[in-house]
Amino acid sequence: MAAKRREDRIPFFRSIQAKYALTYLLVVAAILIVMNTYPVLMAENMVFTSKESTLKQQALVVSSTLAVSETLTREGVEQTMTLLEEAQGARVLVTDASGLILYDSSTLDNRVGGYALTGEVAAALRGHDASRSEYRDRAIRTQAAVPILYHGMTLGAVYLYEHDAEQAGVLLSILSNLRYISIVICVAAVVLVALLSKTLTRNTVRLLSAIRRVREGEYSHRVESLGRDEMAQLADEFNQLTGRLQTTEEARRRFVSDASHELKTPLASIRLLTDSILQNDRVDMGTVREFVSDIGEEADRLTRISEHLLALTRLDAGPERQREPVELGTVAEKVAHMLAPLAQANGVTLKTRIEPACALLATQDDLYQVAFNLMENAIKYNQPGGRVDVAVRRLGGKASLVVCDTGVGIPAEDMPKIFDRFYRVDKARSRA
């Protein structure tokens, strides 16, 4: 049994608890990814936009200041730039219309006399404003270029470049704080997910364990239902199901015991009678005939008991038979005629009241069996001098068969169980 339970044990990574935990962790991971990307991207975009706008405004101021003559000279640009303070903190390049650098504010890498080959300068020389920002080498690098226009002609371009490590440090600090918060949230989420998934699957595990115990035959086992959710309802349904299984199993065992006893009695009588004939060589033919007649009666009893068992088996295993209109009154009259000798032998008066046109969809044999069982029981469990009234009538468009008797009746506590399989109110009285 222990080996079988080990085989039934589900590996953790295939269990519902693991699936719950994985689902929650994926949700937490998605939230953390969004939290670590969206705010940083938004902050980065705001910084980039601000820097590009600032540099472009500075470049426009320089461009408007230089656009006072038809030509740009190196000396004139240098004189003008010494008077401007707008572009302090950024590197400034001024080029002519061919891209030749006329002025460079850098003191470490002065490129005057060379050519500016950046995309922003090329766009500015075509008459367009251009700007670009990027994060590289732990710094924000921003570039902006605007054309120098004189009466619609492009005389050159103003190019500004800024290298800002301070603002990049702020962005890195934000990202570092978000990562630290994410680690704390991740650890807390793992702990909470483990506890939550175990709590959610606890009832499932208990229910699965209970199902296995019932499968092994422990029909009296019940599951304690906690809460008001679907699992609690499932536990209640399981308890009701096991209750019905327990009732059915107890009734089945009683039936098997009673059937065994009923079969044993005629078999014992048949064996006794046959032994009496075989062991007595001088028995006369009259006695033999009497014994053989008794054997036939006991064989009939065995046949009736076997037919009852086979009828139950056919009802369980056989397909549903085709229904057809059956006149209930005709069936009731036939059953009453068949049971008249039994009623007379028991001193019971059997009366019928049959209304016409009480047909219903059924099978002839099943309807006959139901009527026979009701009326036979009313006669068998009646009192000497008693009465059985059988009525067939229409009630609200339905056909009704009513069997009333003056017998001992059925106790109120047994009424809900009378349609359970094999149930008997009083086993000793029923067998008698």
Side-chain angles (χ1 to χ4, degrees):
M1 187 65 65
K4 185 172 181 59
R5 288 184 177 177
R6 285 196 298 270
E7 291 177 0
D8 291 338
R9 192 171 300 165
I10 300 174
F12 174 76
F13 291 103
R14 294 175 58 187
S15 64
I16 296 179
Q17 182 179 354
K19 293 177 181 177
Y20 274 136
L22 181 60
T23 301
Y24 296 143
L25 289 177
L26 288 176
V27 172
V28 172
I31 294 174
L32 292 179
I33 291 173
V34 173
M35 188 179 73
N36 280 270
T37 55
Y38 182 75
V40 174
L41 291 176
M42 290 296 296
E44 185 181 77
N45 184 63
M46 291 176 60
V47 172
F48 285 176
T49 302
S50 175
K51 285 188 169 295
E52 291 176 14
S53 177
T54 301
L55 283 187
K56 192 179 292 185
Q57 291 297 327
Q58 294 177 0
L60 287 173
V61 171
V62 175
S63 172
S64 61
T65 304
L66 293 175
V68 293
S69 61
E70 295 183 2
T71 59
L72 294 176
T73 61
R74 183 179 300 177
E75 293 79 8
V77 171
E78 288 180 353
Q79 290 177 2
T80 303
M81 293 303 300
T82 56
L83 300 175
L84 293 175
E85 298 180 356
E86 296 290 340
Q88 289 183 355
R91 182 178 181 178
V92 182
L93 276 72
V94 180
T95 72
D96 61 12
S98 63
L100 179 66
I101 299 175
L102 303 177
Y103 174 82
D104 188 354
S105 64
S106 175
T107 57
L108 299 177
D109 182 27
N110 195 293
R111 297 178 58 193
V112 174
Y115 286 89
L117 303 177
T118 65
E120 288 73 24
V121 173
L125 292 177
R126 291 195 298 271
H128 306 292
D129 296 344
S131 61
R132 180 167 61 92
S133 295
E134 63 177 348
Y135 175 83
R136 182 160 52 88
D137 297 334
R138 304 178 68 85
I140 299 175
R141 303 169 185 267
T142 308
Q143 306 174 60
V146 298
I148 303 174
L149 301 175
Y150 179 77
H151 298 302
M153 295 186 304
T154 302
L155 303 179
V158 177
Y159 169 83
L160 271 70
Y161 172 80
E162 184 181 61
H163 180 279
D164 190 347
E166 183 177 350
Q167 292 252 9
V170 174
L171 290 177
L172 287 175
S173 176
I174 294 174
L175 183 60
S176 177
N177 290 336
L178 287 176
R179 287 177 179 172
Y180 175 76
I181 295 173
S182 299
I183 292 174
V184 174
I185 293 176
C186 189
V187 173
V190 169
V191 176
L192 290 176
V193 164
L195 295 176
L196 185 60
S197 62
K198 188 173 182 180
T199 301
L200 289 175
T201 57
R202 182 182 300 144
N203 288 337
T204 305
V205 173
R206 291 168 56 195
L207 185 59
L208 182 60
S209 176
I211 291 173
R212 288 172 178 166
R213 294 178 66 174
V214 172
R215 182 187 64 186
E216 294 169 0
E218 192 175 342
Y219 298 111
S220 61
H221 183 70
R222 299 293 183 270
V223 177
E224 182 182 2
S225 58
L226 301 176
R228 298 181 179 179
D229 56 4
E230 290 82 354
M231 290 303 301
Q233 293 181 0
L234 187 60
D236 291 337
E237 293 293 334
F238 172 81
N239 289 337
Q240 294 181 24
L241 176 62
T242 52
R244 291 184 63 87
L245 287 175
Q246 184 179 10
T247 302
T248 302
E249 177 63 16
E250 291 174 354
R252 184 190 65 82
R253 291 178 179 176
R254 287 197 304 268
F255 174 79
V256 171
S257 176
D258 293 344
S260 299
H261 185 274
E262 295 292 340
L263 291 173
K264 182 179 179 181
T265 302
L267 287 174
S269 299
I270 292 173
R271 183 58 183 266
L272 178 62
L273 292 170
T274 54
D275 288 345
S276 299
I277 295 173
L278 293 176
Q279 294 174 6
N280 191 347
D281 296 334
R282 299 179 180 179
V283 63
D284 60 274
M285 288 303 297
T287 304
V288 170
R289 287 191 181 93
E290 182 181 354
F291 283 2
V292 171
S293 177
D294 293 339
I295 291 174
E297 292 178 359
E298 297 299 326
D300 290 339
R301 288 182 59 192
L302 284 175
T303 301
R304 288 194 298 271
I305 295 173
S306 301
E307 286 177 350
H308 290 162
L309 295 176
L310 290 175
L312 291 175
T313 303
R314 284 195 298 269
L315 289 175
D316 287 339
E320 185 176 356
R321 287 177 284 183
Q322 185 67 33
R323 297 182 180 183
E324 58 185 3
V326 179
E327 187 63 41
L328 182 57
T330 303
V331 174
E333 287 180 342
K334 184 177 179 180
V335 172
H337 178 73
M338 292 293 296
L339 293 176
L342 178 63
Q344 185 177 2
N346 289 354
V348 175
T349 302
L350 177 61
K351 296 292 184 179
T352 59
R353 288 180 298 168
I354 308 298
E355 292 184 3
C358 292
L360 71 161
L361 286 177
T363 59
Q364 181 85 20
D365 292 340
D366 291 344
L367 193 58
Y368 182 90
Q369 186 68 45
V370 171
F372 188 91
N373 289 342
L374 290 174
M375 296 165 67
E376 183 189 33
N377 287 337
I379 296 171
K380 287 170 59 177
Y381 301 124
N382 214 315
Q383 300 174 353
R387 182 183 180 88
V388 174
D389 293 320
V390 179
V392 175
R393 57 179 180 265
R394 297 183 63 86
L395 293 175
K398 297 182 179 180
S400 172
L401 171 65
V402 180
V403 179
C404 300
D405 64 75
T406 56
V408 294
I410 300 175
E413 62 271 14
D414 290 315
M415 289 296 292
K417 303 177 182 179
I418 60 174
F419 289 106
D420 290 349
R421 172 63 64 84
F422 307 137
Y423 186 77
R424 290 184 179 180
V425 174
D426 187 340
K427 294 179 291 182
R429 185 186 67 183
S430 299
R431 188 167 59 251

